[in-house]
Amino acid sequence: MGPVMMASLPLLLLFLFLLPHSLALQLCTDSMAPTTLKAPLSFCAYDGSSCCNSTDDAALRKQFQSMNISDAACAAVMKSILCAVNLKDPKFDIYSASSVLFSLICVDLFFGQCDPYSAELFGTEPRTRTIPYLCNSTGSASSSLHNNSSKDFCREVWDTCKDISTRNSPFAGLPVSSSKLTDIWQSATDFCKAFGGSSGDNTLCFNGDSVSFNSIADSPTPKGLCLERIGNGSYLNMVGHPDGSNRVFLSNQAGKIWLATIPEHGSGGTLELDESNPFLDLTDEVIFDTELGLMGLAFHPNFTTNGRFFVSYNCDKLQSATCSGRCSCNSDIGCDPSKLGTDNGAQPCQYQTVVAEFTANDSSTTPSTASSANPLEVRRIFTMGLPYMAHHGGQILFGPADGYLYLMMGDGGNIGDPYNFAQNKKAMLGKIMRLDINNMQSKSLDKLSELGLWGNYSIPKDNPYMVDSELQAEIWALGLRNPWRCSFYVEKPSYFFCADVGQVFVPFTFSMKECYHEELLFDLISIMFFLIFSKSSTFLPLESYEEVNLISKGGNYGWRVYEGPYLYHPPRSPGGNTSLGSINPILPVMGYSRSDINTTMGSASITGGYVYRSLTDPCMYGRYLYADLYGGAMWAGIEVPENSGNYTSTMIPFNCAKNSPIPCDTVPGSPLPSLGFIYSFGEDNRKDVFLLTSEGVYRIVPPSHCNYACPKENTTDTGSPAPGQSSSACQLEILPRRLVLILDMLLLLLW
C-alpha cells in the first residue's frame, strides 16, 4: 500500500491542480451558477465560467451588429457592458475608437447576462435589468467603491455615447429606432441616477473592465468567542417564534417540541420551558435511534395568522401504519431494493423520512398565543423510504425570499454512496429539494403517487428542472453527501449556506444516545473497511474533508465525484459512476480537513451554523460560524471583498463567561469549557446565535465577558469577566480519540 500511495502522489497533485475554481459566489440572472466553458466564446471572449453558451454568444453578436453604432469608442463601451467581466478581447480597447457600447451589450443585453456575477449586476428574474449597475462617483454606494470601481464608468458611458445614434439600445426608455441618450436624459447626473451606483443595498457594480466590489472597512479580527450556558437540555432544532418575541421553539431528537423563553442578556436568567408540557409530542410516531429521529422543524412565514408548521422526522413502517412511503431505491432510478441488503438488521426502506404539517390553530386561541399544537397531523407533505439507516439530513427551512420549503436530504448512507444516488438526477437522495406547500394537489396519497409526487405539495415553476429536463422536478441542488445544518443569510437570501459531512473518518451517528467509544469504533471500522475494499491504483487522501457550500439553483456539489476539493474514488460502485467531465462541480467556499485537527483535538464531522448578525459581539458580525461535532473546534468565515463569495475562515478560540447563569462544565484539569457534542446552532429573533450541544444550550455573549478584546464593543456593563486565557479549545477529554487515531495510522503503515 505504501508504494502505491507514493506512486500515486504526483497524480493526486495533478488532480488538485486541475480542480475548477469555484470560490466566488457567481450566479446568473436565473439564480443558477455559471457553467464552465469547454471553449472560449468567440464574441464575448469568455474563457472559464459564463452564464452564456455559444448560442447566446452568437445572439449577442447579432444584437450588437443590429445596433449599428458608428462611433468606435462608444461601441467599445457597449461591448464591455454587454460582455461584462473578464472581457479580454484584444480587438476592442475600451479607450480606442470602437469600444464603449459594445461592452455594455455583452454584459448581457436582452438575453445573455453572460457575466458570472450577472445576478448581482442585473438582479434576478423576473425583475432583471437590461443594463448592469455602472460604477460611478455619485451613486448610492460610490463612497466605498474599491480600486477600479472608483472610476466613474457611468459618466464615461455618458460622455462617450450621449450623442451617438444607436438602434435597439439596451438602455430602458429609448425607442427601438435610432436614438441618442440625450433624447431621454438631460445630463450625466440624470443618466447615472438611472444606471449608476451599486446593486441596491449590495455592493457590486461594473467598471468597464471587470466587476468591482465595495471596499469594506476591515472588521476587527475576533479574539475569541464567549459563551454562557442558559440550559441543560439537548436539542437538535431551535426556531425563533414567528411573532418576533423572545420565545423560541426547541425540539429534541426523540420527538418532542417545546416552547421556551430566552432570558435577557445580563439578567442571570436561564431558558424557561416546562419539560413536562411540550408544545407537541410525536414520540409515538418518531423512531429514535442513531441518525433517526425528529430532524427538522419549520414554521410557515404566515404562522401568526394561519398556524401552520412542519416537522421532519423518521418513522418505522413496521411500527406505524402511516409510515408507508415509496422506496427511494426504485425502478425509476435503476435501483433494486432487494439487492441493497440489510443495515444493522433493518430492511431497505423500513425506515422512512416524513415531512408532516401540523397546526397551532385552536378555537380558543390564536397561533401566537397557543401553548400547544393539535397533535393530529393536518396532511402528509412528503414520505420516502430510506435505503440505509444513515445520511438522510432531514432539516427543513423556508426560503426568506421565495417562501418555498427546502428539504435537505443525504445520500442514504453506506460508505461512498455505492449506488451513486447523489449524482442520479432522478433520485431524491443526496439532494436539496424545493417544494411549494401553499398550492396543494388536494388528492389522496395514492393519486399523488400516480402523479409522480412523494406527498401533498406542488412544484415551483422556476425549479431547475425547467432548465435541465433530466432533473427530477423537486430537486433544487444535487451532489451532497449529508447536509448537516443549513441556513439562509436573511439580508442576502441568495447566500444559502449548507455544511456537508465528509467521508472516511466520519462517525455513523449523531445520536444523543451514543457514547464516544461507539463513535470511535465506527471511525476505526470505516477506515478498515476502506482499506480492505479499496485496492485501486490511485490514492485517495484519508483526510475526510468537511465542507461548507453556498447553494445555488441547480448547483452540483460534486459528491461522489468529489469530496470537498478532492477527487473521490469510491471503494465499490454497484450503481455505476459519474464521469468527471460530465458535471460542472461547485467547490466549497469553506471547510477543513480532518488531518488539520486530528493530531491535536480530534474531529468527527461538520456542524453548519449561521452568519452572525447580532451586535452582542460586534467583532463577530458578518462572519459565518461553524463547528466540529466533537466540540473541540469552531471556525468563523468572512467574505472578502463583500459580495464576491470568496471566504476565508479561521479557527477561533472560545471560552465560558465566569458569570454564566449555569456554570459551564470544564475539561478535567483545565479551565476550558467542555461542550460535549455540538449538534446544531440556533438563532433567535434578536439575531443572537446559540450552540445546541449534548451538555446544554449556550449563547454567544459579549467578548469582554471572557476577557476577549473587541474595540467595537460597548463595555459599559461587562459583568464579571472570565480569566483572560485565550484557548484554542483543545479538550483533554479528546485524548482517547487520539489513541484511536494512532491506531489508524499504524493500520495505514502496516497496510
Side-chain angles (χ1 to χ4, degrees):
M1 188 73 171
V4 173
M5 290 183 180
M6 293 301 295
S8 303
L9 186 57
L11 181 59
L12 170 65
L13 295 176
L14 176 62
F15 284 153
L16 295 178
F17 178 76
L18 294 174
L19 289 179
H21 296 286
S22 228
L23 294 178
L25 182 61
Q26 300 179 343
L27 288 178
C28 306
T29 56
D30 60 2
S31 297
M32 299 185 75
T35 58
T36 301
L37 298 170
K38 295 183 178 179
L41 299 178
S42 61
F43 176 66
C44 283
Y46 278 97
D47 186 8
S49 61
S50 175
C51 293
C52 292
N53 55 29
S54 58
T55 302
D56 301 324
D57 189 57
L60 290 171
R61 181 192 295 275
K62 184 177 180 180
Q63 177 64 39
F64 174 72
Q65 292 170 346
S66 74
M67 295 177 73
N68 194 27
I69 304 169
S70 60
D71 182 83
C74 182
V77 170
M78 282 295 186
K79 181 184 178 183
S80 74
I81 295 178
L82 188 60
C83 287
V85 182
N86 299 326
L87 177 64
K88 301 295 183 183
D89 189 343
K91 298 188 295 294
F92 297 95
D93 181 346
I94 194 167
Y95 299 109
S96 75
S98 78
S99 239
V100 178
L101 263 187
F102 196 32
S103 98
L104 280 172
I105 302 174
C106 283
V107 174
D108 178 336
L109 196 46
F110 296 105
F111 359 81
Q113 275 109 8
C114 296
D115 186 81
Y117 292 93
S118 60
E120 294 287 348
L121 288 168
F122 294 90
T124 54
E125 296 174 349
R127 297 182 295 276
T128 54
R129 298 162 55 100
T130 57
I131 290 295
Y133 295 92
L134 308 179
C135 298
N136 78 298
S137 59
T138 58
S140 61
S142 60
S143 62
S144 59
L145 293 177
H146 176 59
N147 296 334
N148 286 339
S149 60
S150 62
K151 179 175 71 175
D152 196 340
F153 182 61
C154 187
R155 178 174 287 276
E156 181 183 333
V157 173
W158 172 261
D159 291 341
T160 308
C161 298
K162 63 182 179 180
D163 295 319
I164 306 300
S165 295
T166 305
R167 294 183 59 83
N168 303 320
S169 172
F171 292 101
L174 290 178
V176 174
S177 59
S178 183
S179 56
K180 303 174 183 178
L181 298 181
T182 51
D183 292 341
I184 300 293
W185 298 280
Q186 302 305 308
S187 66
T189 300
D190 292 340
F191 176 73
C192 290
K193 281 183 179 179
F195 300 104
S198 63
S199 179
D201 292 332
N202 294 323
T203 52
L204 208 60
C205 64
F206 180 62
N207 67 13
D209 298 310
S210 63
V211 164
S212 292
F213 303 94
N214 273 3
S215 176
I216 304 301
D218 289 337
S219 177
T221 301
K223 302 302 182 184
L225 197 65
C226 190
L227 306 171
E228 68 174 5
R229 188 179 183 183
I230 61 171
N232 289 321
S234 292
Y235 310 98
L236 278 189
N237 295 281
M238 172 187 281
V239 182
H241 198 296
D243 68 358
S245 68
N246 64 334
R247 296 182 297 165
V248 297
F249 291 96
L250 292 163
S251 67
N252 68 1
Q253 191 176 347
K256 291 184 179 182
I257 302 169
W258 291 273
L259 184 57
T261 301
I262 301 293
E264 294 289 334
H265 275 286
S267 68
T270 60
L271 198 63
E272 296 179 15
L273 80 162
D274 183 355
E275 290 275 356
S276 65
N277 186 28
F279 182 77
L280 180 65
D281 185 349
L282 296 177
T283 52
D284 289 342
E285 287 292 323
V286 172
I287 178 70
F288 172 32
D289 186 10
T290 64
E291 289 190 47
L292 303 170
L294 195 161
M295 310 306 286
L297 179 65
F299 289 79
H300 192 280
N302 298 324
F303 171 82
T304 56
T305 56
N306 64 26
R308 301 176 69 192
F309 69 99
F310 302 81
V311 181
S312 168
Y313 65 90
N314 303 116
C315 60
D316 183 349
K317 69 179 184 180
L318 299 183
Q319 299 178 9
S320 173
T322 61
C323 188
S324 57
R326 187 184 181 199
C327 187
S328 56
C329 170
N330 56 67
S331 58
D332 289 350
I333 65 171
C335 183
D336 182 354
S338 66
K339 296 182 179 180
L340 296 182
T342 61
D343 184 4
N344 198 27
Q347 295 295 322
C349 296
Q350 174 180 332
Y351 298 119
Q352 312 254 320
T353 281
V354 169
V355 178
E357 178 179 344
F358 294 86
T359 183
N361 270 333
D362 185 272
S363 58
S364 61
T365 62
T366 64
S368 291
T369 59
S371 59
S372 63
N374 189 326
L376 298 178
E377 179 181 311
V378 175
R379 63 177 58 86
R380 184 63 57 90
I381 303 297
F382 187 93
T383 311
M384 182 177 71
L386 302 168
Y388 304 106
M389 292 179 64
H391 305 174
H392 47 80
Q395 186 184 10
I396 49 176
L397 295 170
F398 277 99
D402 57 28
Y404 292 125
L405 185 70
Y406 291 77
L407 168 60
M408 275 50 81
M409 183 63 61
D411 65 10
N414 213 318
I415 292 177
D417 187 14
Y419 288 88
N420 201 25
F421 292 130
Q423 288 298 325
N424 188 324
K425 293 185 176 183
K426 295 299 182 184
M428 308 301 278
L429 298 166
K431 309 296 192 300
I432 293 175
M433 286 168 270
R434 182 174 180 251
L435 311 176
D436 183 349
I437 50 78
N438 291 318
N439 297 290
M440 302 297 188
Q441 296 291 337
S442 299
K443 299 179 184 294
S444 67
L445 290 179
D446 290 341
K447 295 293 184 182
L448 291 170
S449 180
E450 292 176 7
L451 294 174
L453 301 177
W454 299 80
N456 207 332
Y457 57 87
S458 59
I459 305 295
K461 294 181 179 180
D462 60 342
N463 268 12
Y465 80 101
M466 297 296 293
V467 177
D468 184 351
S469 60
E470 294 182 2
L471 272 178
Q472 188 71 16
E474 291 89 345
I475 295 172
W476 182 253
L478 68 155
L480 297 155
R481 183 175 180 273
N482 191 28
W484 189 249
R485 305 295 96 172
C486 304
S487 64
F488 286 94
Y489 185 8
V490 177
E491 277 79 7
K492 298 179 182 179
S494 63
Y495 282 56
F496 182 16
F497 294 89
C498 267
D500 198 19
V501 175
Q503 180 64 71
V504 185
F505 289 109
V506 67
F508 283 34
T509 174
F510 291 158
S511 170
M512 301 175 191
K513 301 200 300 188
E514 305 299 319
C515 67
Y516 283 136
H517 299 90
E518 289 173 296
E519 299 211 8
L520 293 171
L521 182 60
F522 273 120
D523 281 349
L524 193 55
I525 291 173
S526 64
I527 295 171
M528 294 176 66
F529 186 92
F530 175 84
L531 293 174
I532 292 169
F533 289 98
S534 178
K535 297 278 191 173
S536 64
S537 59
T538 38
F539 168 54
L540 169 70
L542 288 176
E543 51 169 69
S544 167
Y545 192 84
E546 305 296 324
E547 62 191 81
V548 178
N549 297 298
L550 276 173
I551 303 298
S552 59
K553 176 181 176 180
N556 188 330
Y557 294 87
W559 175 253
R560 68 179 192 150
V561 179
Y562 286 90
E563 184 190 9
Y566 302 108
L567 284 171
Y568 180 75
H569 302 279
R572 58 192 188 98
S573 303
N577 286 307
T578 298
S579 65
L580 178 62
S582 67
I583 67 171
N584 181 39
I586 301 174
L587 299 185
V589 294
M590 289 174 278
Y592 60 96
S593 294
R594 291 286 185 79
S595 59
D596 291 343
I597 58 175
N598 268 335
T599 57
T600 57
M601 65 193 70
S603 66
S605 58
I606 194 169
T607 299
Y610 289 87
V611 174
Y612 189 80
R613 302 182 296 143
S614 172
L615 294 179
T616 299
D617 184 346
C619 286
M620 202 62 68
Y621 188 87
R623 286 170 163 81
Y624 176 78
L625 299 175
Y626 59 103
D628 188 82
L629 173 68
Y630 275 172
M634 282 190 276
W635 290 262
I638 188 169
E639 184 185 29
V640 180
E642 187 178 0
N643 289 332
S644 68
N646 290 294
Y647 277 83
T648 299
S649 61
T650 55
M651 192 182 297
I652 53 172
F654 60 90
N655 217 320
C656 193
K658 197 74 171 181
N659 59 348
S660 175
I662 301 174
C664 297
D665 293 336
T666 58
V667 177
S670 168
L672 307 183
S674 173
L675 302 180
F677 292 158
I678 300 177
Y679 294 127
S680 188
F681 286 79
E683 187 182 51
D684 68 2
N685 290 319
R686 298 179 180 179
K687 305 176 185 178
D688 278 321
V689 171
F690 300 77
L691 278 68
L692 309 181
T693 83
S694 59
E695 299 295 326
V697 178
Y698 295 80
R699 175 167 60 180
I700 297 175
V701 295
S704 61
H705 290 201
C706 291
N707 271 7
Y708 293 131
C710 173
K712 290 188 173 183
E713 181 188 351
N714 180 353
T715 56
T716 303
D717 180 17
T718 60
S720 301
Q725 178 174 353
S726 180
S727 159
S728 64
C730 301
Q731 299 185 7
L732 300 181
E733 64 186 45
I734 307 297
L735 184 58
R737 296 175 215 163
R738 298 184 186 173
L739 298 178
V740 173
L741 292 170
I742 293 171
L743 291 175
D744 293 343
M745 296 303 105
L746 288 174
L747 279 172
L748 291 175
L749 291 173
L750 293 173
W751 191 261

